Amino acid sequence: MGNSGSAVKVCTDHQGGINWLSLSPDGQRLLTGSEDGTARLWSTADSQCHGHFQGHESYITFCHLENEAAFTCSADHTIRKWDVVTGQCLAIYRGHTSIVNRILVAKDYLFSGSYDRTARCWSVDKEKQIQEFRGHRNCVLTLAHYSSRDVLEEEEEEEEEEEKVSRDLLVTGSTDCTVKVWWVSSGRCYQTLLGHTGAVLCLILDAPNRELFSGSTDYTIRTWNIVTGEQLKVFKEHQGSVICLELVNRHLYSGSADRTVKCWFVDTGERIQTYKAHKHSVSTLKYHAGILFTGSGDACARAFNSRSGVLQKIFRGHKFIINCIQIHNELLYTASHDGTLRIWDIRGICKRNKRRLKKERSVQGRSSQKGSLSRLFNNKVGCMVQQENGEHEAVELM
């Protein structure tokens, strides 16, 4: 069983649950969006609140942070852009007729998905709608964006003249069980990906390999060729809705309502690890330096050795579900429906993991010189080893 950790700081400024947590590209700031209808800006240098964005008329569902601007979307049907220095509202994007539940910023575009069954594209600077994507039969839950330049060879590009001006494409996942790919310039649907029998909750795009991964309430993850629309693989071992996905070095991590995370080798579809110990749904996950961090409906965050699946640490303190996690400078940030942002020091676990990886590489090097016994004997034996600090840790013996 993992060791329990306590937070180095607890931020209690919000008066309602925190629905999302975003880290700026330069790592200097964090943005939280809350049920109290406000967003707050935090410095990663001193963990203090340096901005309070007020103006939405209902709760904030999602937020996104750039280095110079913050974006929030709300159940009040609007999206807002904020100056991160002054806290001033710079723009209000109006047009949706229901809850806006997801936004995505790419280049000069702002994309949004709503319960009104549409996705929309806005000019970030001009505060106006550029395009509306209409065709889903139910609400749009998740978004992804890519350029056809990333996936198509020149001879493959046969789009219409208007679409040669802009080769950007938007991907939308919906509760109507479909994934759709749209040309941004025209709003035309390029592909409809059929196969799921439940709502599509999450998307991960691997443009260089022309692959899209979708997780659903039908308990499956599906892989698609984003050029042809062909369904490539179906990952079926989860026993509950697939809530979140993370792709790292051709390894796909999936968090589920079945209280587990699974790791899949994308190239073969093989499930190579299952991470247990959660007492409720896995709501969020993040891979960092060989460690898999998870947040759960049981109000705990956890750290697992990504290779062995061993639970290394439990972070206790939240009272309700952890909705989002971020990692920066070996600090773990967890945002919860209890209204708090908690900050945890993970230097110790990261240091131990680096030592372990170094030792494993050394052992593998010696094994290869001796004919690689690990290839002859695939069975692994585990034991508990006491560390110098008195803590116990499960390790595998080759």
Side-chain angles (χ1 to χ4, degrees):
M1 186 174 183
N3 304 302
S4 183
S6 58
V8 296
K9 185 175 177 63
V10 181
C11 308
T12 60
D13 303 54
H14 279 297
Q15 302 302 305
I18 300 174
N19 288 327
W20 202 255
L21 172 65
S22 180
L23 178 69
S24 63
D26 62 14
Q28 293 183 16
R29 299 180 178 94
L30 286 158
L31 180 69
T32 50
S34 171
E35 291 277 322
D36 64 14
T38 74
R40 289 181 178 269
L41 193 69
W42 310 83
S43 167
T44 55
D46 59 13
S47 303
Q48 297 297 314
C49 180
H50 290 271
H52 188 205
F53 305 146
Q54 303 178 77
H56 280 296
E57 297 175 3
S58 188
Y59 61 90
I60 292 175
T61 54
F62 191 85
C63 60
H64 175 84
L65 185 58
E66 294 289 316
N67 291 336
E68 304 299 330
F71 298 85
T72 56
C73 60
S74 168
D76 67 8
H77 308 176
T78 72
I79 305 147
R80 288 178 179 249
K81 177 184 177 183
W82 311 84
D83 187 302
V84 298
V85 176
T86 66
Q88 177 186 0
C89 181
L90 302 175
I92 304 176
Y93 307 88
R94 305 180 190 273
H96 281 295
T97 58
S98 189
I99 297 169
V100 184
N101 54 63
R102 191 57 57 99
I103 51 177
L104 184 156
V105 178
K107 301 179 182 178
D108 296 325
Y109 296 130
L110 168 65
F111 298 98
S112 56
S114 169
Y115 277 82
D116 66 11
R117 305 182 182 186
T118 72
R120 300 178 192 233
C121 177
W122 316 79
S123 168
V124 168
D125 297 325
K126 296 181 181 179
E127 198 175 346
K128 69 174 184 178
Q129 181 177 304
I130 297 173
Q131 197 56 259
E132 179 178 319
F133 309 94
R134 187 175 292 273
H136 281 297
R137 300 189 311 276
N138 216 321
C139 58
V140 179
L141 293 179
T142 184
L143 307 169
H145 166 271
Y146 68 99
S147 169
S148 64
R149 293 187 183 92
D150 299 332
V151 300
L152 296 177
E153 301 295 335
E154 286 298 323
E155 61 270 17
E156 294 179 286
E157 297 198 53
E158 300 177 353
E159 63 267 28
E160 298 173 7
E161 191 66 33
E162 62 175 338
E163 287 156 351
K164 290 182 181 179
V165 177
S166 172
R167 295 185 174 93
D168 292 282
L169 293 106
L170 176 69
V171 187
T172 55
S174 169
T175 53
D176 67 7
C177 310
T178 70
V179 176
K180 288 181 179 287
V181 184
W182 314 80
W183 288 110
V184 171
S185 57
S186 67
R188 183 172 65 88
C189 184
Y190 169 63
Q191 297 276 5
T192 298
L193 310 182
L194 302 172
H196 282 297
T197 58
V200 179
L201 302 182
C202 47
L203 297 171
I204 287 285
L205 189 62
D206 183 6
N209 288 296
R210 304 182 173 195
E211 290 179 339
L212 175 73
F213 303 88
S214 55
S216 169
T217 59
D218 66 9
Y219 302 1
T220 71
I221 305 152
R222 294 169 192 256
T223 312
W224 314 84
N225 181 303
I226 55 177
V227 176
T228 66
E230 177 189 2
Q231 181 176 286
L232 303 176
K233 295 184 184 71
V234 182
F235 306 95
K236 291 183 174 180
E237 291 192 29
H238 277 298
Q239 301 301 309
S241 298
V242 178
I243 298 170
C244 48
L245 296 170
E246 176 104 323
L247 182 64
V248 182
N249 298 327
R250 304 300 289 167
H251 289 78
L252 181 68
Y253 298 89
S254 55
S256 171
D258 67 8
R259 306 182 181 187
T260 72
V261 175
K262 294 184 184 293
C263 177
W264 316 81
F265 186 48
V266 169
D267 294 339
T268 64
E270 177 190 6
R271 192 265 302 155
I272 55 179
Q273 192 57 260
T274 298
Y275 310 86
K276 301 179 180 179
H278 308 94
K279 298 177 182 177
H280 206 283
S281 300
V282 178
S283 47
T284 182
L285 54 83
K286 187 76 68 175
Y287 175 96
H288 176 74
I291 306 168
L292 182 67
F293 293 89
T294 65
S296 172
D298 63 15
C300 292
R302 291 174 173 82
F304 296 87
N305 181 304
S306 63
R307 289 188 62 182
S308 69
V310 170
L311 176 64
Q312 294 182 308
K313 202 173 193 69
I314 304 174
F315 305 90
R316 293 187 174 95
H318 284 296
K319 294 182 173 64
F320 297 111
I321 182 173
I322 295 173
N323 289 321
C324 195
I325 59 179
Q326 292 288 349
I327 297 167
H328 179 67
N329 280 349
E330 297 194 342
L331 289 174
L332 171 68
Y333 299 85
T334 57
S336 167
H337 206 69
D338 64 12
T340 68
L341 171 67
R342 291 177 182 256
I343 305 167
W344 318 79
D345 188 339
I346 57 173
R347 286 175 297 181
I349 189 173
C350 290
K351 186 176 181 180
R352 289 197 300 273
N353 200 62
K354 288 176 183 176
R355 287 203 306 264
R356 181 183 301 108
L357 290 173
K358 185 177 180 180
K359 186 175 181 180
E360 286 177 355
R361 284 193 292 267
S362 175
V363 170
Q364 289 170 356
R366 290 196 301 270
S367 296
S368 62
Q369 294 170 5
K370 297 177 182 178
S372 189
L373 290 175
S374 61
R375 287 201 295 267
L376 300 176
F377 301 98
N378 292 321
N379 56 308
K380 297 178 180 179
V381 180
C383 71
M384 296 299 292
V385 175
Q386 186 169 357
Q387 305 296 318
E388 294 177 359
N389 60 6
E391 298 176 347
H392 287 78
E393 187 174 60
V395 299
E396 292 174 349
L397 301 179
M398 297 300 297

